[in-house]
Amino acid sequence: MRRTAILGSIFASLALLATSAIADIANTSHDLRSQTTLLTQAGNTQICAYCHTPHNASTTNSTTPLWNHQDTVATYTMYSSPSLDMTIAGSPAGVSLACLSCHDGTVAADQLINFPTGITGPDGIFFLGDSLGTDLSNDHPISLTYNATQDPDFVAAVNSQVNGLQLFGGTGDQVECGTCHSVHDNTNEPFLRMSNAGSALCLACHIK
Ligand code: HEC
Ligand code: HEC
Ligand code: HEC
Ligand code: HEC
């Protein structure tokens, strides 16, 4: 009995190790090497280059580390609702803006600031199918200041996190795309910070 239990726990740990070993960006849809339509990138072996660069990174989107994707200059319609209690910004900020530089459909996925060695430049033809557009009024609010004292139906944030979900920005209280999504890890599809089975992701913040 005892031996079986020990073996069981060894197998459980091995399974955990295996899970963490595959929890990376390679071969997910954020591994843009898989996008054959990015023609000039044919032969590019660098995964990170579509979003990060070691030198001369974006200074306009400095909130996202060493950012290498050209910024979107779109104007957005933000979420609004009569029952919204917390403050939403007039336009998307920080990490959300980084996501939207591909996901609003206005900038091609290969419009980089610095191209990896040997890659000449963008085709500028690959616009995302999974695009939110510039009308964000029909999407969950983002660039929103999380403040549970303004609405009792919310879990209080502790150290810029709500049940482990990261809040962003200089004051560490902004709900952005990266709060619900982990851009490098597709273990919980589609790139979710935690499984939403039983609406667990929603209930991490909402008390309903
Ligand atoms: C599709 C775009 C994209 C690709 C590709 C990408 N990243 Fe990121 N990365 C981001 C965004 C957006 C952030 C900031 C948001 C966040 O932390 O969730 C970030 C944050 C980071 C950070 C700082 C926060 C953290 O998670 O530690 C590091 C380090 C990082 N990326 C490394 C890498 C490396 C190394 C690669 C290649 C193996 C890579 N990234 C590929 C978009 C990307
Ligand atoms: C360099 C461009 C780029 C950036 C930046 C980027 N993505 Fe993506 N994302 C893609 C591509 C390409 C796909 C594949 C879907 C498609 O082709 O439309 C994708 C797919 C997704 C999907 C859907 C996955 C699926 O299987 O349906 C999610 C969710 C997503 N991205 C979230 C994010 C978030 C959140 C950020 C910012 C933290 C981000 N992305 C930044 C290029 C990007
Ligand atoms: C409050 C949490 C939350 C925030 C904030 C959020 N998402 Fe999502 N997103 C989800 C969930 C959950 C799904 C999966 C929906 C499903 O499959 O039922 C999803 C799905 C997606 C998809 C897949 C295609 C689709 O439309 O279903 C994309 C792309 C995406 N999100 C991008 C983004 C971007 C870009 C942002 C920021 C502008 C963002 N998300 C902000 C929770 C969030
Ligand atoms: C990181 C925390 C967080 C997560 C995760 C999250 N939400 Fe929210 N949600 C918020 C905040 C904050 C608001 C704004 C509430 C306010 O100001 O009253 C909000 C607003 C909403 C609203 C609009 C409320 C209104 O009064 O207009 C709905 C509906 C909603 N969320 C549903 C969801 C669903 C469904 C999920 C899971 C897919 C989810 N949320 C995940 C934090 C979160």
Side-chain angles (χ1 to χ4, degrees):
M1 273 297 274
R2 189 148 177 266
R3 201 168 157 204
T4 321
I6 291 170
L7 273 179
S9 76
I10 289 172
F11 281 124
S13 335
L14 280 177
L16 267 176
L17 274 176
T19 316
S20 56
I22 54 158
D24 62 30
I25 194 166
N27 304 319
T28 69
S29 50
H30 277 161
D31 180 352
L32 271 71
R33 297 174 308 175
S34 62
Q35 299 285 350
T36 48
T37 42
L38 295 177
L39 288 178
T40 45
Q41 266 73 23
N44 173 37
T45 56
Q46 298 189 30
I47 304 176
C48 317
Y50 291 99
C51 292
H52 303 286
T53 183
H55 304 291
N56 302 315
S58 167
T59 46
T60 43
N61 205 339
S62 52
T63 47
T64 316
L66 296 175
W67 195 241
N68 195 31
H69 199 263
Q70 279 185 18
D71 297 320
T72 162
V73 292
T75 309
Y76 297 90
T77 308
M78 301 297 276
Y79 182 88
S80 71
S81 133
S83 47
L84 205 63
D85 299 301
M86 302 182 204
T87 309
I88 187 164
S91 52
V95 173
S96 296
L97 212 49
C99 307
L100 289 165
S101 73
C102 282
H103 280 280
D104 74 3
T106 68
V107 188
D110 59 352
Q111 297 283 353
L112 308 185
I113 296 171
N114 300 312
F115 287 88
T117 307
I119 305 297
T120 46
D123 290 325
I125 54 164
F126 181 66
F127 293 89
L128 256 57
D130 262 347
S131 160
L132 274 61
T134 57
D135 183 356
L136 304 178
S137 65
N138 55 1
D139 297 293
H140 191 282
I142 48 135
S143 300
L144 177 82
T145 305
Y146 194 94
N147 184 349
T149 61
Q150 290 177 324
D151 190 330
D153 279 353
F154 283 90
V155 175
V158 180
N159 293 330
S160 299
Q161 292 194 341
V162 193
N163 277 322
L165 299 175
Q166 186 71 43
L167 301 171
F168 291 85
T171 41
D173 55 4
Q174 298 298 301
V175 177
E176 303 291 1
C177 313
T179 303
C180 296
H181 291 285
S182 54
V183 66
H184 308 110
D185 183 351
N186 203 20
T187 307
N188 301 305
E189 290 180 33
F191 295 104
L192 294 176
R193 290 270 174 202
M194 61 170 75
S195 161
N196 200 24
S199 295
L201 173 72
C202 315
L203 294 171
C205 294
H206 290 267
I207 301 171
K208 288 284 181 223

